[in-house]
Amino acid sequence: MKRNIASAVRELIEQKLNDIGYDIWDVTFYKEGQEQILEVEIDGENGFSIDDCQKASDLINEIVDEADPIEQSYSLLVSGAGLTRVLRSDAHLSRARDCGWSCTAKLFTSVSGSKEITGSITGFNPDTITVGDTAIDRKQISRLTAIIE
């Protein structure tokens, strides 16, 4: 259900944020302690600032308050995508590959003798992600992170 809330919110806000010059990197909805958090990570063509986060936050609040897709109380957290980014979707993988970002794949089990593989993403399909020369089964990846330099 929590993933559905994040997806629903993303659908509500994405075009309106794009219209004012921001891209959504990720939307997550999770519980931290007793609090529910709706987190939206944004990116802009020229990066982002605190003012950009505030502008996006105001717009998101307005849209989400009107549509009311979240039944319980929650806190909204809007931040820039940052220099270290978790890669969750094929769009993220494409961007990391196309930009040549260095990535680190943390694995559940060893691949090629290591539980951590670092390099650029050279390819991916529904079953595997290739980091450098190492093809990794997607199910073996616990976290894939890009570091933007």
Side-chain angles (χ1 to χ4, degrees), residues 71-125:
E71 294 178 10
Q72 64 268 46
S73 64
Y74 66 94
S75 293
L76 174 63
L77 173 62
V78 177
S79 64
L83 297 176
T84 302
R85 301 179 184 197
V86 176
L87 306 177
R88 298 183 204 281
S89 68
D90 283 354
H92 291 166
L93 295 171
S94 290
R95 181 123 179 243
R97 180 195 60 210
D98 296 347
C99 293
W101 295 341
S102 177
C103 300
T104 299
K106 295 192 182 220
L107 311 173
F108 291 114
T109 58
S110 293
V111 171
S112 299
S114 179
K115 289 183 82 175
E116 189 172 291
I117 307 291
T118 300
S120 295
I121 293 175
T122 55
F124 63 92
N125 62 45

Side-chain angles (χ1 to χ4, degrees), residues 31-59:
K31 187 173 183 176
E32 190 170 281
Q34 296 297 319
E35 190 173 16
Q36 297 288 336
I37 308 288
L38 173 62
E39 184 173 2
V40 180
E41 294 178 66
I42 63 169
D43 200 3
E45 189 175 309
N46 298 314
F48 49 87
S49 67
I50 291 173
D51 291 338
D52 292 319
C53 291
Q54 185 61 55
K55 184 176 176 183
S57 180
D58 292 344
L59 180 60

